[in-house]
């Protein structure tokens, strides 16, 4: 049985072309910063962007008749996977042209920014041009809401195509009847919080350029900073608290944000995911505080950074590597869990974890109860079905399997097992925290594996698996 045919490929290519145009246009934005600071790197942005737009226009115009074909979810997932990879490649070429990185390092840096992983190849980010620093921040901001979501909001019309593409980025939350109307509301919220963050940072005394780039990085839960010491560079507790607030906002569902005014804040207070996230932050902070000698602000900041998968830090990775093993264990656990679904975070996500444990509870209750009893368990006021619990369990199994394989490869290359596990979970969950400096010591094959981990982590595995299956089908012929 063939899972993909010529018609499928043409539908994918046509819709891929639309996204290539959007990606190319987005990569032109940093030219504004380049011109402001007179860095003369505009051509290095213009050429890859123009190639992307040109190829996209060819696909759209030549294959335009395939726009009327009904797009299936498998098409959307393949388009989504390839679009993220293409955006990474275009960004990687820009990094290569401007800063001299080899193409693999450039792709690693680009994919890390786009997926909100926040792991950098550059040993000295403060030596980078302003245009590149802005570009990394802008990539994180775009990737936080989603490349597909951003492009749909501008270039596509309401309908089946936009709906399928929206779902392909692991999103199924709606606040309006149509997909495009929902995305516009999400984008409005995202922009409001971005302006809010820039304003707060500026009032706290942060330079305007730093304020813009750091807000892009934090509200998107990306974590890349314009300083080598990350947020710790500013040595200001007010800035630390602003960052913590922005990280939590970024890790909270957009649906909850949308309903805050309508419900006078009740949507936030009564949201199960938000409740669990705040509880985990409080419990984890207290556990580390009472079992170590670490400064309380350092603990709170890293705990929030880990569960929101932001990866921002106020202590160096070397210092964190010296923390007690129990503290590191808690940080690892938080990086695995992540924040709310429908937000900008990576990792497993709270709702999936809650559903998994509720499923265990439901199965246990059914065993304890008299034969024939029907046990009803609810998750966010919805009845928990066996299928829903199984889906969460299946995804978690795949997720841990990816971690296990990458961890094994890192150990095969001689890296410390504990550091390797931490770094693998950080890449897979699009977090960015490190203990030690593994990102600066990765061998070329491991960088390729890391790119793959960040890619599948952001797309939640299934779209990439569908894409790989499609390529297998093509080459099998």
């Amino acid at each position: 049985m063939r899972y993909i045919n010529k018609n499928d490929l043409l539908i994918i290519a046509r819709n891929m072309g639309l996204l290539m145009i959007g990606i190319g246009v987005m990569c032109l934005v940093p030219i504004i910063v380049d011109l402001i600071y007179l860095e003369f790197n505009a051509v290095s942005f213009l050429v890859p962007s123009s190639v992307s737009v040109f190829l996209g226009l060819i696909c759209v115009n030549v294959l335009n008749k395939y726009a009327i074909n009904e797009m299936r979810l498998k098409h959307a997932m393949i388009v989504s996977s390839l679009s993220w990879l293409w955006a990474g490649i275009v960004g990687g070429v820009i990094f290569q042209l401007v800063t001299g990185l080899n193409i693999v390092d450039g792709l690693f840096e680009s994919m890390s920014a786009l997926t909100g992983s926040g792991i950098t190849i550059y040993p000295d980010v403060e030596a980078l041009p302003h245009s590149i620093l802005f570009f990394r921040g802008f990539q994180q901001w775009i990737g936080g809401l989603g490349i597909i979501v951003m492009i749909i909001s501008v270039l596509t019309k309401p309908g089946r195509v936009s709906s399928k593409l929206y779902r392909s980025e692991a999103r199924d939350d709606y606040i309006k009847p149509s997909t495009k109307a929902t995305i516009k509301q999400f984008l409005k919220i995202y922009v409001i919080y971005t302006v809010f963050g820039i304003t707060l940072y500026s009032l706290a005394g942060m330079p305007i350029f730093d304020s813009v780039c750091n807000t892009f990085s934090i509200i998107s839960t990306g974590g890349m900073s314009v300083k080598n010491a990350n947020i710790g560079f500013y040595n200001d507790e007010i800035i630390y608290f602003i960052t913590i607030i922005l990280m939590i906002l970024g890790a909270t569902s957009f649906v909850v944000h949308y309903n805050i005014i309508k419900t006078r804040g009740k949507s936030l207070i009564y949201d199960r995911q938000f409740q669990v996230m705040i509880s985990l932050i409080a419990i984890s902070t207290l556990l580390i505080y009472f079992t170590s000698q670490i400064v309380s602000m350092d603990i709170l900041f890293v705990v929030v950074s880990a569960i929101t998968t932001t990866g921002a830090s106020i202590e160096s990775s070397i210092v964190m590597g010296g923390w007690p093993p129990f503290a590191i264990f808690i940080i690892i656990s938080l990086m695995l869990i992540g924040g709310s679904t429908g937000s900008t975070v990576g990792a497993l996500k709270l709702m999936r974890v809650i559903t998994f444990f509720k499923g265990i509870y439901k199965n246990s209750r059914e065993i304890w109860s008299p034969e024939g009893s029907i046990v009803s368990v609810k998750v966010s006021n919805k009845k928990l079905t066996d299928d829903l619990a199984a889906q969460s369990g299946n995804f978690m199994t795949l997720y841990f399997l990816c971690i296990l394989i990458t961890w094994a490869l890192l150990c095969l290359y001689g890296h410390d097992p504990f550091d390797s596990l931490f770094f693998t979970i950080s890449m897979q969950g699009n977090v960015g925290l490190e203990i030690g400096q593994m990102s600066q010591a990765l061998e070329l094959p491991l960088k390729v594996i890391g790119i793959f981990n960040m890619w599948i982590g952001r797309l939640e595995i299934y779209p990439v698996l569908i894409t790989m299956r499609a390529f297998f089908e093509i080459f099998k012929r």
Side-chain angles (χ1 to χ4, degrees), residues 85 107-108 111-112 115 117 402 405-406 409 427-428 430 445-461 464-465 467-468:
L85 189 58
L107 179 55
F108 187 99
M111 188 64 75
S112 179
T115 59
S117 301
C402 292
I405 293 170
T406 304
L409 291 172
M427 288 193 297
Q428 180 72 28
N430 307 128
L446 294 181
K447 289 176 183 175
V448 175
I449 296 297
I451 292 166
F452 183 77
N453 275 102
M454 293 185 286
W455 183 37
I456 63 172
R458 181 62 181 79
L459 287 168
E460 299 200 345
I461 303 175
V464 178
L465 290 181
T467 303
M468 291 171 65

Side-chain angles (χ1 to χ4, degrees), residues 193-203 208 211-212 215-216 246:
Y193 283 140
T194 301
V195 174
F196 174 68
I198 293 170
T199 303
L200 287 182
Y201 275 141
S202 298
L203 291 174
I208 185 64
S211 298
V212 172
T215 301
F216 282 174
L246 292 177

Side-chain angles (χ1 to χ4, degrees), residues 77 101 472:
M77 285 189 167
L101 288 180
F472 175 76

Side-chain angles (χ1 to χ4, degrees), residues 77-285:
M77 285 189 167
I78 295 170
V79 169
S80 180
S81 299
L82 294 178
S83 295
W84 279 84
L85 189 58
W86 179 254
I89 291 169
V90 174
V93 171
I94 290 173
F95 285 126
Q96 181 186 31
L97 293 175
V98 177
T99 66
L101 288 180
N102 65 61
I103 189 60
V104 173
D105 284 356
L107 179 55
F108 187 99
E109 188 78 15
S110 182
M111 188 64 75
S112 179
L114 285 166
T115 59
S117 301
I119 302 168
T120 184
I121 290 293
Y122 293 109
D124 182 11
V125 298
E126 293 175 33
L128 297 174
H130 289 83
S131 56
I132 285 295
L133 292 173
F134 176 84
F135 183 49
R136 296 194 321 160
F138 189 61
Q139 281 184 304
Q140 290 170 90
W141 191 75
I142 293 293
L145 192 57
I147 295 171
I148 308 298
V149 169
M150 287 290 194
I151 294 174
I152 287 173
S153 67
V154 179
L155 296 181
T156 65
K157 297 177 181 179
R160 290 180 179 273
V161 172
S162 59
S163 175
K164 291 289 193 298
L165 287 171
Y166 180 71
R167 289 178 60 195
S168 73
E169 281 195 327
R171 293 182 180 275
D172 57 4
D173 40 339
Y174 286 84
I175 53 179
K176 294 288 183 180
S178 77
T179 299
K180 189 153 186 177
T182 295
I183 290 172
K184 284 185 175 179
Q185 291 300 320
F186 286 170
L187 185 56
K188 188 185 296 182
I189 293 166
Y190 201 46
V191 170
I192 289 171
Y193 283 140
T194 301
V195 174
F196 174 68
I198 293 170
T199 303
L200 287 182
Y201 275 141
S202 298
L203 291 174
M206 188 182 288
I208 185 64
F209 179 79
D210 293 17
S211 298
V212 172
C213 292
N214 284 327
T215 301
F216 282 174
S217 172
I218 302 302
I219 198 65
S220 64
T221 61
M224 280 182 175
S225 178
V226 294
K227 302 296 181 184
N228 294 327
N230 210 279
I231 301 299
F233 169 86
Y234 303 99
N235 194 30
D236 187 325
E237 292 207 353
I238 294 176
I239 288 177
Y240 298 165
F241 276 115
I242 292 170
T243 305
I244 288 170
I245 291 169
L246 292 177
M247 288 192 288
I248 293 173
L249 287 174
T252 303
S253 169
F254 281 98
V255 175
V256 173
H257 288 309
Y258 178 77
N259 291 320
I260 283 176
I261 296 176
K262 281 185 177 181
T263 61
R264 297 180 181 179
K266 290 181 181 178
S267 67
L268 184 67
I269 296 170
Y270 294 113
D271 179 61
R272 179 55 57 89
Q273 293 184 93
F274 184 77
Q275 291 173 346
V276 173
M277 179 167 62
I278 296 301
S279 299
L280 286 172
I281 289 170
I283 293 168
S284 300
T285 301

